[in-house]
Amino acid sequence: MTHILAIDQGTTSTRAILFGADMAPVASAQEEFKQHFPQSGWVEHEASDLWSTTASTCRGAIEKAGISAKDIMAIGITNQRETTVIWDRKTGKAIHRAIVWQDRRTSELCQTLKAAGHEEMVTERTGLLLDPYFSATKLKWLLDNVKGARTRAESGELAFGTIDSWVIWNLTGGTSHVTDATNAARTMLYDIRKGRWSKTMCDLLDIPMNLLPEVKDSAADFGVTRADLFGREIPILGVAGDQQAATVGQACFEPGMLKSTYGTGCFALLNTGDTPVTSKNRLLTTIAYQLDGKPTYALEGSIFVAGAVVQWLRDGLKIIRDAKETQPLADNADKGQDVVLVPAFTGLGAPYWNAECRGAVYGLTRSTGPEEMAKAALESVGFQTRDLLEAMHADWPNAEEAALRVDGGMSASDWAMQFLSDILGAPVDRPEVLETTALGAAWLAGQRAGVYPAMDEFAATWALERKFEPTLDEALRTQRYARWGRAVQATLSV
């Protein structure tokens, strides 16, 4: 048994990647699934799609690798965070579509709770802000709006989970209702300092605590798969939310180390060690990973739209057919135009946290075309990242000494990463292994299984593929970032 199977259940697709004994990827399979938008600002997934694509991509990766289940030592899972599912404990059927982390339907509830003066308490216990992004208000919405759900929940018939819990439940045939500390920390129901579910938060939102899964370390025994799925039982030994798994995969184990992942959204995490730092700039305090019962904390900045802006160019505007087309378009953009896109399609995340504003484009002219829109889309990710890092530097001055390690699909774009370095005025390090999210999940499971090295040795394997250095004139950098700031303020004021 020389392989670790990593399941990466994301927002737009599910991937399974097999890693060998040397922690190198051996084979992978990926499937996209349908996004559902029942109303403006609402985003849903069929929970059954998340599970079926998990099962099929796992089988696909195993087949591509030419191995069998007996060659797999363990499974590690990483997942889109905050997305909320409730299911029937007996049938295993979800009672409603999963409500996705991007969904904003509980904005009014969050505003009501803020007006009642609850946000300070929420932040003190959970490290989070009162925002529809997190699972708790989504869970309350399901209990209040699905017929009979609250009564059934109170009687113990139903189970709640983020997507890791949903996938594990199905992998184990309903024998494990569990999560890890990193996913629990994103629900707005978990006390990150005491390391347990918060009765105060559950009472505030009228959520029965018997719905909640057992919380474990990020490397722990989460159960074993049904024997009929892959040919034998395989232990599940590692779990972390996608951004925390990327933090692990980037070997950001020392306080002050910083990574930014570019997937559907963009998420920057700054390791703050054993100290939960309360942000003064509306960043989140969260758990980066938890090993041997000891949490390591992080400051996090969350951008809702990063790679999703490229999907919008493809599926919404239909000006590209493939993400790879954005770079040559951006290269050919008219340098005399300065189009600014604020991609607030589902509101703005950190450091603004405005659920109500919507996307806007500034600086349009008669000659603005696909090239300028592609350039503005890619630049919007760099601008938003700088917003996050400015806030992090204010909360944790030591962060200024750390290089930014990047990963995720968009980090493969040389154009986007060069602009990121230019607008930050700082180096950006891209590793040889861009699959850091899956690698983090694999390492958690592999070191628990005893086949992968301990933390220090694993960190020593991190290798640089390319360092991007800033080339933009300082005056122009300042001017362009100021223009972005004015565009954001105009968007917020509409």
Side-chain angles (χ1 to χ4, degrees):
M1 293 188 286
T2 57
H3 293 75
I4 299 293
L5 175 61
I7 296 169
D8 184 354
Q9 201 302 298
T11 307
T12 58
S13 69
T14 304
R15 295 184 302 161
I17 303 178
L18 275 163
F19 289 86
D22 58 355
M23 297 185 291
V26 174
S28 66
Q30 180 170 355
E31 289 183 31
E32 291 192 2
F33 47 82
K34 187 175 181 180
Q35 311 290 303
H36 299 272
F37 308 99
Q39 293 186 34
S40 176
W42 292 28
V43 189
E44 297 178 347
H45 293 154
E46 291 288 356
S48 58
D49 287 348
L50 307 183
W51 163 236
S52 64
T53 54
T54 296
S56 59
T57 53
C58 287
R59 293 188 182 110
I62 292 169
E63 184 177 341
K64 283 184 181 180
I67 64 171
S68 68
K70 69 176 182 294
D71 299 309
I72 300 173
M73 175 68 80
I75 291 174
I77 297 172
T78 184
N79 55 283
Q80 54 168 310
R81 305 171 304 170
E82 298 96 15
T83 298
T84 300
V85 186
I86 300 179
W87 64 92
D88 186 297
R89 291 181 184 272
K90 288 186 178 178
T91 67
K93 302 291 185 183
I95 67 169
H96 187 276
R97 282 180 183 156
I99 301 181
V100 180
W101 58 272
Q102 299 162 312
D103 189 282
R104 314 305 285 172
R105 75 187 64 185
T106 61
S107 295
E108 187 176 335
L109 170 60
C110 290
Q111 290 300 325
T112 300
L113 292 168
K114 283 182 189 178
H118 292 298
E119 187 163 64
E120 185 177 347
M121 180 276 291
V122 170
T123 300
E124 171 64 26
R125 280 172 171 75
T126 70
L128 309 178
L129 301 170
L130 273 169
D131 190 87
Y133 177 26
F134 307 108
S135 309
T137 56
K138 304 179 197 296
L139 175 52
K140 177 175 171 57
W141 188 94
L142 288 169
L143 293 175
D144 290 342
N145 289 276
V146 177
K147 186 177 180 181
R150 185 167 294 282
T151 301
R152 295 177 66 199
E154 290 170 350
S155 67
E157 296 176 37
L158 303 180
F160 151 76
T162 43
I163 301 307
D164 57 313
S165 297
W166 170 245
V167 167
I168 292 169
W169 177 277
N170 283 282
L171 283 170
T172 63
T175 62
S176 291
H177 183 208
V178 293
T179 189
D180 91 300
T182 70
N183 279 292
R186 310 302 297 188
T187 61
M188 209 168 73
L189 296 172
Y190 189 71
D191 190 319
I192 62 170
R193 290 168 175 82
K194 294 182 179 178
R196 66 190 185 205
W197 295 116
S198 169
K199 186 176 186 303
T200 303
M201 286 302 307
C202 289
D203 288 347
L204 176 65
L205 295 169
D206 196 18
I207 292 172
M209 295 188 76
N210 62 7
L211 275 173
L212 307 178
E214 178 187 356
V215 182
K216 293 176 172 281
D217 285 348
S218 303
D221 298 323
F222 293 92
V224 297
T225 64
R226 291 164 20 205
D228 62 310
L229 278 176
F230 309 120
R232 77 167 188 91
E233 293 182 347
I234 304 173
I236 304 163
L237 298 182
V239 174
D242 51 10
Q243 304 314 315
Q244 287 93 337
T247 303
V248 170
Q250 287 276 35
C252 291
F253 296 132
E254 296 297 324
M257 295 187 74
L258 176 67
K259 74 89 200 176
S260 190
T261 297
Y262 298 93
T264 301
C266 164
F267 303 86
L269 265 75
L270 170 67
N271 185 325
T272 63
D274 58 8
T275 305
V277 175
T278 300
S279 174
K280 297 176 182 177
N281 296 281
R282 296 184 67 74
L283 299 177
L284 307 175
T285 307
T286 196
I287 296 175
Y289 50 87
Q290 181 169 304
L291 301 172
D292 299 322
K294 180 184 177 182
T296 293
Y297 295 97
L299 280 172
E300 176 175 331
S302 307
I303 296 169
F304 298 147
V305 175
V309 76
V310 177
Q311 285 187 316
W312 174 68
L313 295 177
R314 183 191 69 186
D315 303 334
L317 296 187
K318 301 187 186 303
I319 62 176
I320 60 170
R321 289 169 294 181
D322 187 275
K324 294 176 182 177
E325 297 174 29
T326 55
Q327 184 161 320
L329 282 173
D331 279 332
N332 291 319
D334 180 0
K335 291 180 172 57
Q337 295 189 51
D338 191 5
V339 178
V340 178
L341 168 63
V342 182
F345 304 143
T346 56
L348 284 172
Y352 308 104
W353 293 107
N354 186 309
E356 304 306 321
C357 69
R358 290 295 177 262
V361 185
Y362 299 90
L364 293 175
T365 72
R366 282 285 301 270
S367 60
T368 299
E371 294 86 355
E372 290 73 34
M373 290 300 294
K375 177 173 178 280
L378 293 178
E379 288 181 343
S380 73
V381 178
F383 285 129
Q384 291 179 98
T385 304
R386 178 163 171 179
D387 285 343
L388 297 184
L389 299 199
E390 294 270 333
M392 285 184 171
H393 293 163
D395 284 332
W396 185 268
N398 292 339
E400 296 184 20
E401 301 172 7
L404 176 64
R405 292 184 173 184
V406 296
D407 58 81
M410 188 176 276
S411 69
S413 167
D414 290 352
W415 199 101
M417 293 303 100
Q418 183 58 54
F419 179 76
L420 177 60
S421 177
D422 283 341
I423 204 62
L424 294 179
V428 170
D429 289 350
R430 185 169 66 192
E432 286 186 355
V433 179
L434 288 180
E435 300 291 357
T436 53
T437 303
L439 176 60
W443 178 76
L444 287 168
Q447 61 90 23
R448 174 77 179 184
V451 296
Y452 284 173
M455 183 179 288
D456 289 349
E457 189 178 342
F458 173 66
T461 67
W462 188 93
L464 179 70
E465 181 265 332
R466 179 171 174 182
K467 180 183 287 288
F468 295 86
E469 300 276 5
T471 59
L472 192 65
D473 176 75
E474 177 63 33
L476 184 55
R477 177 184 305 119
T478 301
Q479 176 187 333
R480 297 215 61 206
Y481 186 58
R483 181 170 168 79
W484 162 261
R486 292 194 297 273
V488 170
Q489 292 307 313
T491 302
L492 292 170
S493 66
V494 173

